[in-house]
Amino acid sequence: MDVLVVGGGVIGLLSAMQLAVTGKVVGLVEAREAGRESSWAGGGIVSPLYPWRYSPAVTALAHWSQDFYPRLAEQLLAQTQIDPEVYVTGLYWLDLDDDADALAWAKREGRALRSVDMAAVQRAVPALAAGFGRALQMADVANVRNPRLVKALRAALQQMPNVTVHEQCAVSGFILDGGRITGVQTAQGDMQADQVVLAAGAWSGELMKTLGIELPVVPVKGQMILYKCAEDFLPAMVLANGRYAIPRRDGHILIGSTLEHAAFDKTTTEEALLSLKASAVELLPALADAEVVGHWAGLRPGSPEGIPYIGPVPGHEGLWLNCGHYRNGLVLAPASCQLLADLMLGREPIVDPAPYAPTGRLGLAG
């Protein structure tokens, strides 16, 4: 193989695709089932929850991805007949503490965020609870149906003759040859490749420890619940007090999410269920009479400031990182994977790669 991608979430799947379309022979290895971890569990808002609170490094990737997502969805639908459902609903932020910062950020970045009269919000979203005093809106924010997105990416890779996907195949370590990474060790035997991309989400830090490298990517559990309502129940995404409601086209409503440091435990809890149901009713009172049709947990790849690691690992030729996206893996995936491919192929990068480079950030000499 030219490239072996470790991790079958949206970052790994899209990394494999971006490299395979250039003719590279690509393998992808996933410990469980591709796309069923954090990528499946998330909400799919195609924006950081509070974009103005992030560094310019996150903003740069988010802007590129937001503009690219509709094209990606069209491409995947045409190729696989699976619709990722990029659904432009807009997003309302309610009763923020930092409205002024948000509006200043939007003006600086040229993003269409504006203050909206609450009476207009109530007319636009009749199901919204009364009592909120202020609102900001970004009308062009979409959400993507992330389980369908990863299913479409998986199907697209299956159609490519130069791609092989290995599922239920856990990676236990890397193969070193004179300081160069030449493959990985797995439960099904060694796999060799000219280049290895680590895109294992919350598990990336554990795998880097096998090389004696401390990569500060740790699991952060998030629990969500799902309701089924009428298709026109919620026409826009709403966010207040750190919790959000996301409508799907068919009337499903996602409510999320918790932030828990619980190592690799994905157990759902009654405490989180009650908390999420309370948040749901605070936002949308009619949900008090609706049945929860789903409750699950996923593990985000937590990282400092939520800035992903994208680029080569110094001192370990052949090893590349694309991990540590924290709460924004789905948001940042298209840009992150394009940037990785640019760097690996020696192309002009879409954004300045310096903020994401493992060199320096991991205390390793370049």
Side-chain angles (χ1 to χ4, degrees):
M1 289 176 285
D2 294 318
V3 184
L4 180 63
V5 178
V6 179
V10 67
I11 300 293
L13 292 166
L14 199 48
S15 293
M17 178 179 289
Q18 293 281 24
L19 293 163
V21 294
T22 71
K24 296 287 187 185
V25 177
V26 178
L28 182 144
V29 58
E30 163 58 42
R32 298 166 190 84
E33 180 184 347
R36 290 291 298 187
E37 292 290 349
S38 182
S39 299
W40 182 89
I45 302 176
V46 187
S47 170
L49 287 185
Y50 304 97
W52 55 91
R53 297 178 187 173
Y54 283 93
S55 73
V58 173
T59 298
L61 295 177
H63 284 184
W64 196 93
S65 292
Q66 286 166 323
D67 295 339
F68 183 76
Y69 250 114
R71 199 184 336 156
L72 175 64
E74 290 171 9
Q75 173 194 333
L76 289 170
L77 175 58
Q79 190 173 345
T80 69
Q81 285 69 60
I82 299 169
D83 187 357
E85 292 190 15
V86 174
Y87 183 26
V88 180
T89 64
L91 172 59
Y92 291 99
W93 288 267
L94 306 171
D95 289 355
L96 289 167
D97 294 329
D98 54 354
D99 299 57
D101 291 343
L103 291 167
W105 169 87
K107 184 176 181 180
R108 188 171 64 247
E109 297 290 337
R111 305 310 278 192
L113 178 73
R114 64 191 182 104
S115 182
V116 189
D117 179 71
M118 272 312 303
V121 179
Q122 292 287 174
R123 287 194 298 273
V125 189
L128 186 66
F132 292 107
R134 301 182 319 284
L136 297 181
Q137 181 198 25
M138 198 181 285
D140 60 352
V141 176
N143 66 73
V144 61
R145 193 124 180 202
N146 38 301
R148 297 189 182 186
L149 172 65
V150 292
K151 186 177 180 182
L153 288 168
R154 175 73 174 81
L157 290 179
Q158 281 184 305
Q159 295 176 9
M160 304 179 81
N162 55 327
V163 177
T164 306
V165 176
H166 306 268
E167 295 178 304
Q168 307 300 331
C169 183
V171 171
S172 56
F174 299 92
I175 302 170
L176 270 166
D177 183 5
R180 180 179 176 82
I181 301 295
T182 61
V184 298
Q185 301 159 337
T186 82
Q188 297 176 20
D190 291 353
M191 294 186 182
Q192 305 279 345
D194 294 338
Q195 310 278 334
V196 174
V197 174
L198 180 59
W203 289 265
S204 299
E206 295 298 302
L207 282 171
M208 288 296 281
K209 284 179 183 176
T210 67
L211 294 173
I213 297 173
E214 285 296 322
L215 174 69
V217 175
V218 298
V220 182
K221 182 161 78 171
Q223 298 187 52
M224 299 184 68
I225 57 175
L226 182 72
Y227 293 92
K228 182 66 167 71
C229 301
E231 289 183 19
D232 61 352
F233 172 71
L234 183 63
M237 296 179 282
V238 291
L239 191 160
N241 301 315
R243 295 278 170 87
Y244 51 76
I246 304 171
R248 302 302 198 207
R249 284 180 182 157
D250 62 3
H252 279 101
I253 309 292
L254 286 84
I255 304 292
S257 67
T258 65
L259 276 171
E260 306 167 57
H261 290 270
F264 290 94
D265 175 18
K266 290 196 299 176
T267 309
T268 56
T269 65
E270 185 69 17
E271 180 184 13
L273 176 63
L274 294 174
S275 174
L276 289 164
K277 287 173 76 171
S279 294
V281 173
E282 285 174 15
L283 277 171
L284 306 164
L287 292 181
D289 300 320
E291 179 188 356
V292 174
V293 295
H295 176 205
W296 63 86
L299 300 175
R300 308 175 186 88
S303 61
E305 297 184 75
I307 300 173
Y309 295 87
I310 306 170
V313 178
H316 293 75
E317 189 181 349
L319 179 60
W320 299 76
L321 301 183
N322 193 3
C323 55
H325 294 75
Y326 197 18
R327 304 191 76 173
N328 295 310
L330 286 155
V331 186
L332 307 181
S336 296
C337 299
Q338 182 72 41
L339 176 59
L340 175 78
D342 289 344
L343 295 172
M344 293 185 74
L345 298 168
R347 301 185 305 212
E348 181 70 22
I350 54 165
V351 296
D352 178 8
Y356 322 100
T359 303
R361 294 181 68 195
L362 299 182
L364 302 172

